[in-house]
Amino acid sequence: MKKLILTAVMAVFTLTASAQVEKGMRYGLTITGSMSKYSELPDAENTFGYGGGLILEYNFTPNVYLGSGLQFGLRGSKVKALDVASQSVTLDGSLKSYNLVIPVNIGGRVNLSDNVALFGQVGPYASFALKKAELQILGYGTIEGEKFDWGLNGKVGVEFSQFQVFGGYELGMKEVWPGDAKNRSIVFGVGYMF
């Protein structure tokens, strides 16, 4: 068993020794999709979103980097019922928020060959709603979501030469909708690094 673990560790060091990415700044563009839902809302369902933006990456070594960028994305939830003034209101609504998202992640990369690498990153994010979620209910008024959100995020993916395919998750830590509802989003996409 010890020989197997030692062989695996040596293989990882051998793979990372043939790193393709140089130290310093890299940037790219990305197109994303998302499935998001606000937690703590009764009968809430996922809503599909889209987005894209700029990827920034500062490589400390060929295998360790700081990942950031500026992403535009649609977040929200579909709802069938809400508690308003201590009463349950039945509706068929969509709570959509159009956000600018800035992640600040620490990442790692393992090269499988000269042109293929696995990568992963994790860290906090901050989000600002350009158009926040809101819902108008007759006889009550308008309920609005929060403009600012923050939380934790992570993503994993594969890089083929300059193209990336990835998936990730956003775990919101701040209430963005009344009733302690927080952002929960699965994000997936493709990117191109220059």
Side-chain angles (χ1 to χ4, degrees):
M1 184 66 166
K2 289 181 183 177
K3 288 182 181 181
L4 180 63
I5 292 172
L6 183 60
T7 303
V9 169
M10 293 301 288
V12 168
F13 282 121
T14 304
L15 291 171
T16 60
S18 65
Q20 186 81 11
V21 176
E22 300 291 327
K23 291 182 183 180
M25 185 66 79
R26 286 193 337 159
Y27 61 95
L29 298 174
T30 184
I31 297 172
T32 60
S34 67
M35 293 299 292
S36 62
K37 178 171 129 175
Y38 291 155
S39 68
E40 308 303 324
L41 291 181
D43 300 322
E45 296 178 1
N46 287 320
T47 188
F48 177 77
Y50 53 87
L54 178 66
I55 304 170
L56 296 175
E57 188 178 284
Y58 183 81
N59 294 281
F60 299 110
T61 71
N63 303 102
V64 178
Y65 64 93
L66 180 69
S68 189
L70 180 62
Q71 306 291 317
F72 170 80
L74 188 143
R75 302 294 185 265
S77 200
K78 291 181 183 174
V79 292
K80 295 189 179 199
L82 281 178
D83 288 333
V84 177
S86 300
Q87 294 181 9
S88 182
V89 177
T90 303
L91 48 91
D92 186 14
S94 182
L95 307 174
K96 292 183 180 178
S97 176
Y98 298 90
N99 299 351
L100 287 178
V101 181
I102 302 172
V104 181
N105 297 330
I106 189 73
R109 181 181 299 106
V110 175
N111 294 286
L112 302 178
S113 71
D114 287 343
N115 294 321
V116 180
L118 299 176
F119 66 91
Q121 60 187 41
V122 65
Y125 76 88
S127 175
F128 181 78
L130 299 173
K131 180 190 177 300
K132 59 187 176 178
E134 62 179 41
L135 191 60
Q136 293 183 353
I137 299 176
L138 293 175
Y140 180 76
T142 302
I143 303 173
E144 295 183 340
E146 293 290 321
K147 272 200 172 289
F148 180 74
D149 179 29
W150 66 274
L152 302 173
N153 78 108
K155 84 177 178 181
V156 293
V158 180
E159 186 168 333
F160 304 95
S161 294
Q162 294 172 288
F163 291 94
Q164 293 183 344
V165 178
F166 60 86
Y169 190 74
E170 292 174 358
L171 178 67
M173 304 299 280
K174 181 180 185 301
E175 179 181 307
V176 292
W177 188 260
D180 202 30
K182 298 173 183 164
N183 175 46
R184 302 289 187 259
S185 296
I186 297 171
V187 181
F188 46 90
V190 294
Y192 181 80
M193 301 301 289
F194 295 100

